[in-house]
Amino acid sequence: LRGIFEVRYAADSVALSPHLPENMSSYVQNLPYYWGSKELYLKVTGSGSSVTGLKVNGKDCLAALNGNLAVIKFDDLPEKAEIEFIRA
């Protein structure tokens, strides 16, 4: 998991960056990633080199996006979250 999603921690947020080949159009991590009390299921859709959108449980997320990096606040996540990185 850590090789596919680069993970960086801060006191109140986590930064995630998917590292998949550009021609790979989807990836689903079926095992959860645990962060404190949160259960995160990560997936990537689309192809390309940068993340252009982020959804949490099917809804647009207001996380800070910077190229291929998404910074998500702990308090903005539900206890069980499906996080989708949309690439283009």
Side-chain angles (χ1 to χ4, degrees):
L1 175 65
R2 291 177 196 265
I4 295 172
F5 293 95
E6 179 182 343
V7 180
R8 291 185 236 161
Y9 301 98
D12 64 344
S13 64
V14 65
L16 299 164
S17 180
H19 295 286
L20 296 173
E22 288 184 27
N23 62 346
M24 190 173 182
S25 62
S26 68
Y27 175 82
V28 176
Q29 180 69 39
N30 292 316
L31 297 173
Y33 172 69
Y34 293 98
W35 180 35
S37 63
K38 311 291 182 170
E39 193 172 322
L40 311 178
Y41 293 87
L42 307 175
K43 76 182 206 178
V44 179
T45 58
S47 58
S49 60
S50 63
V51 174
T52 58
L54 190 72
K55 293 188 178 205
V56 175
N57 292 347
K59 298 178 182 177
D60 289 333
C61 178
L62 298 176
L65 292 176
N66 184 7
N68 210 32
L69 182 71
V71 179
I72 306 170
K73 300 276 187 190
F74 186 85
D75 292 337
D76 291 344
L77 289 171
E79 291 301 307
K80 189 172 185 179
E82 180 181 286
I83 299 172
E84 178 182 2
F85 296 86
I86 303 163
R87 299 188 309 171

